[in-house]
C-alpha cells in the first residue's frame, strides 16, 4: 500500500481515538479513593524526596492503604466499590485543618478530578483545634461547615464522601484508660455525619480501643514516634511523639480504616 500523508493522518487519528477509548475504559474500571486530611493520614514518601534519610520511620496510615486492596478485599466492599480495581490518591498533608486544606486550593484540585463513583475519605481534627495557629484554627462550628462543604461538593460530582473521625493520640491516659483527646471536634464530626446522613468511620473510637488493648507503653514504643537516642540515624537525640506513627502503627491504623469501610452500608 502506498504511504501518503492522508494515510498517515488517518492512522494517527485512529491511534489517538483508540488510545483515548482505552484510557476511558481503564478509568471506568477503576475506583479512585481520595484521602484528604492531615499528617496522620499523609504519605511521607510521596511528599518528601528524602524521606528514607530524614523522616523515616514517620508514617501516615494513608501511606499503606493501597496495599490492602487485593481482589478479595475489593469484592468484600461491593456496597461501595463497583469496579475490579482501586487506586488510592492520597492528597493529605501535614499541618492542615479543614480550613487550611480548603483555603490553599487543595480541595479545588480534588474536586476538579472527582468522577462519579469515586470515594472521598475526609479525616481532619488534629490541627483544627490549634488556637495558637490562626491559619489552621477553626471553631467546632466552623469545622462542621467545612466538613459539610466537602461532603456536599463530593456528592455534586457523584462521588461518595466518607467522614473519618480523627485518629486517636496516645494520650491522655487516666487511671489506665485512654481518653478522647479530640473533644468537641470528634462530636462535631459525628453530628455532621448524622445530619447529612453521610457514611462515617469512627476511627477515633476504634483506634482508642486498639491502643487501650495494647496498653500505653506498648503503643508508645511500637506504634508512635517515641524513639530512643541513636535508634535511627536521622533522629540522633531520639524523639517523644504520641501523635504521629511509625510504620507499624500506621499500618495498624490503615487496617482499622479498612475494617470501618467493611461495616458501611
Amino acid at each position: 500500500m502506498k504511504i501518503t500523508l492522508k494515510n498517515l493522518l488517518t492512522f494517527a487519528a485512529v491511534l489517538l481515538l483508540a488510545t483515548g477509548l482505552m484510557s476511558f475504559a481503564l478509568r471506568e474500571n477503576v475506583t479512585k479513593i481520595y484521602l484528604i486530611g492531615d499528617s496522620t493520614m499523609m504519605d511521607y514518601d510521596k511528599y518528601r524526596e528524602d524521606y528514607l534519610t530524614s523522616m523515616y520511620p514517620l508514617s501516615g496510615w494513608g501511606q499503606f492503604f493501597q496495599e490492602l486492596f487485593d481482589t478479595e478485599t475489593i469484592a468484600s466492599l461491593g456496597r461501595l466499590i463497583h469496579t475490579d480495581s482501586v487506586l488510592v490518591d492520597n492528597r493529605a498533608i501535614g499541618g492542615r485543618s479543614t480550613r487550611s486544606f480548603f483555603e490553599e486550593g487543595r480541595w479545588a484540585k480534588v474536586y476538579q478530578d472527582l468522577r462519579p463513583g469515586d470515594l472521598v475519605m475526609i479525616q481532619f481534627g488534629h490541627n483544627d483545634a490549634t488556637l495558637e495557629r490562626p491559619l489552621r484554627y477553626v471553631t467546632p462550628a466552623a469545622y462542621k461547615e467545612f466538613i459539610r462543604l466537602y461532603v456536599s461538593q463530593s456528592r455534586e460530582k457523584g462521588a461518595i464522601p466518607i467522614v473519618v473521625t480523627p485518629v486517636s493520640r496516645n494520650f491522655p491516659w487516666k487511671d489506665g484508660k485512654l481518653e478522647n483527646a479530640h473533644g468537641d471536634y470528634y462530636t462535631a464530626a459525628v453530628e455532621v455525619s448524622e445530619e447529612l446522613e453521610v457514611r462515617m468511620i469512627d476511627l477515633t473510637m476504634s483506634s482508642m480501643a486498639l491502643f487501650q488493648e495494647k496498653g500505653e507503653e506498648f503503643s508508645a514504643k511500637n506504634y508512635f514516634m517515641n524513639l530512643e537516642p541513636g535508634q535511627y540515624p536521622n533522629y540522633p537525640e531520639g524523639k517523644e511523639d504520641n501523635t504521629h506513627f511509625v510504620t507499624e502503627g500506621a499500618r495498624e491504623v490503615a487496617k482499622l480504616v479498612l475494617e470501618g469501610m467493611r461495616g458501611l452500608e
Side-chain angles (χ1 to χ4, degrees):
M1 183 180 83
K2 185 179 179 181
I3 298 176
T4 66
L5 179 59
K6 181 179 180 180
N7 289 337
L8 287 173
L9 291 174
T10 301
F11 175 75
V14 170
L15 182 61
L16 284 172
L17 178 60
T19 302
L21 289 173
M22 185 178 295
S23 299
F24 179 78
L26 288 172
R27 179 65 178 90
E28 285 294 293
N29 204 34
V30 175
T31 296
K32 270 197 171 184
I33 301 179
Y34 290 90
L35 306 183
I36 65 170
D38 53 41
S39 58
T40 62
M41 179 193 257
M42 74 177 279
D43 183 342
Y44 288 85
D45 199 14
K46 175 181 176 181
Y47 283 96
R48 309 283 185 179
E49 293 181 0
D50 58 349
Y51 167 67
L52 291 177
T53 57
S54 68
M55 306 296 290
Y56 184 82
L58 180 62
S59 304
W61 66 258
Q63 197 164 328
F64 305 103
F65 206 42
Q66 178 74 63
E67 65 190 37
L68 301 179
F69 289 93
D70 56 24
T71 302
E72 183 178 348
T73 297
I74 294 170
S76 74
L77 296 170
R79 296 187 187 91
L80 294 172
I81 299 172
H82 306 290
T83 58
D84 57 13
S85 59
V86 161
L87 178 62
V88 175
D89 191 334
N90 191 346
R91 305 289 181 95
I93 187 165
R96 270 55 180 191
S97 64
T98 51
R99 172 187 170 184
S100 58
F101 193 88
F102 178 80
E103 290 182 343
E104 290 175 0
R106 297 178 185 277
W107 171 247
K109 293 178 181 178
V110 175
Y111 180 80
Q112 180 180 359
D113 293 340
L114 282 178
R115 299 292 183 271
D118 288 340
L119 275 59
V120 182
M121 307 191 78
I122 307 159
Q123 185 221 260
F124 292 96
H126 278 263
N127 299 301
D128 297 76
T130 51
L131 184 60
E132 68 278 9
R133 299 199 177 190
L135 295 179
R136 302 179 183 181
Y137 176 72
V138 293
T139 64
Y143 174 78
K144 281 185 174 184
E145 285 299 318
F146 280 109
I147 294 179
R148 288 186 185 108
L149 182 148
Y150 296 138
V151 168
S152 63
Q153 292 196 350
S154 296
R155 285 173 166 170
E156 283 176 11
K157 298 296 288 283
I160 301 170
I162 301 173
V163 173
V164 182
T165 63
V167 64
S168 178
R169 306 178 193 269
N170 193 39
F171 68 84
W173 287 81
K174 184 177 181 181
D175 300 326
K177 292 186 177 181
L178 179 59
E179 298 186 339
N180 187 352
H182 296 294
D184 291 341
Y185 294 86
Y186 167 74
T187 303
V190 173
E191 289 178 350
V192 170
S193 300
E194 293 173 349
E195 169 198 330
L196 300 181
E197 298 182 341
V198 62
R199 293 172 174 88
M200 187 193 83
I201 295 173
D202 197 341
L203 184 58
T204 305
M205 290 301 161
S206 63
S207 57
M208 284 177 65
L210 173 65
F211 306 149
Q212 177 76 49
E213 177 189 351
K214 298 296 185 180
E216 180 179 5
E217 185 176 352
F218 180 95
S219 298
K221 289 183 177 180
N222 294 278
Y223 293 160
F224 289 87
M225 284 285 290
N226 292 292
L227 313 176
E228 297 292 335
Q231 185 177 357
Y232 291 93
N234 41 328
Y235 297 95
E237 297 180 1
K239 191 170 182 63
E240 294 183 9
D241 181 348
N242 277 293
T243 293
H244 298 94
F245 304 112
V246 295
T247 54
E248 183 179 351
R251 281 195 163 99
E252 289 301 313
V253 173
K255 292 175 186 176
L256 292 178
V257 177
L258 178 60
E259 287 305 307
M261 288 181 72
R262 286 195 172 107
L264 297 175
E265 295 296 329

